[in-house]
Amino acid sequence: MAELRFSMEPHGASVVASVRGELDVTSSQRFDDCLSEAAATSDRVILDLSGVDFMDTTALAVIVGHWRRQVEAGGLFFLAGARYRYARTLWITGLADRLPMYDTVGEALAAAQPEPGAEAASGPDARKSGGPEATAG
């Protein structure tokens, strides 16, 4: 099993939090701390999941909690690079339909850029696997 690693990198008005390895119950506190640090750095957080080899429901709970807090505070929280094979809990739970998700960090950064005179993209250009009316049953 590869060692779990977190990193953060500022990109203009946004910060990219990258994860490599497996996100599970044993790493949930470190993961939560990483996302808290990212949110303290910027109101535009992009979580790069392209290096995630496994994600369980405890990691999903951490993501959802940070997404909700960020949006409620007027910020943005985007996911980038989530691969179905390793992050299928996002699709199984229906969250892939609700969270703004992008194939690459570059696409998420472009969507997170503030546009003069317009609202920041909150998902209309995001790749979604279902319609906005999709809800969990």
Side-chain angles (χ1 to χ4, degrees):
M1 175 170 70
E3 180 185 348
L4 182 65
R5 291 180 295 164
F6 300 103
S7 63
M8 276 194 311
E9 188 175 335
H11 287 271
S14 302
V15 64
V16 176
S18 299
V19 183
R20 299 233 175 275
E22 296 184 0
L23 292 171
D24 57 24
V25 68
T26 63
S27 61
S28 63
Q29 186 59 55
R30 285 179 53 210
F31 184 40
D32 185 59
D33 292 345
C34 172
L35 291 180
S36 292
E37 186 178 339
T41 303
S42 174
D43 66 346
R44 298 168 185 270
V45 174
I46 295 166
L47 177 57
D48 178 8
L49 295 173
S50 62
V52 170
D53 298 325
F54 173 80
M55 180 182 357
D56 72 4
T57 55
T58 57
L60 187 64
V62 170
I63 290 170
V64 169
H66 281 275
W67 166 57
R68 286 186 174 152
R69 282 191 292 276
Q70 196 81 1
V71 171
E72 286 170 4
L76 300 174
F77 188 91
F78 294 162
L79 300 181
R83 296 173 291 169
Y84 179 81
R85 180 176 179 191
Y86 301 117
R88 68 178 140 240
T89 51
L90 291 168
W91 283 268
I92 292 169
T93 60
L95 285 167
D97 294 332
R98 302 181 69 206
L99 284 161
M101 296 177 63
Y102 296 86
D103 289 331
T104 67
V105 168
E107 290 172 6
L109 283 167
Q113 290 302 313
E115 296 182 28
E119 289 184 22
S122 59
D125 295 328
R127 174 185 55 79
K128 301 257 187 193
S129 55
E133 294 81 30
T135 58

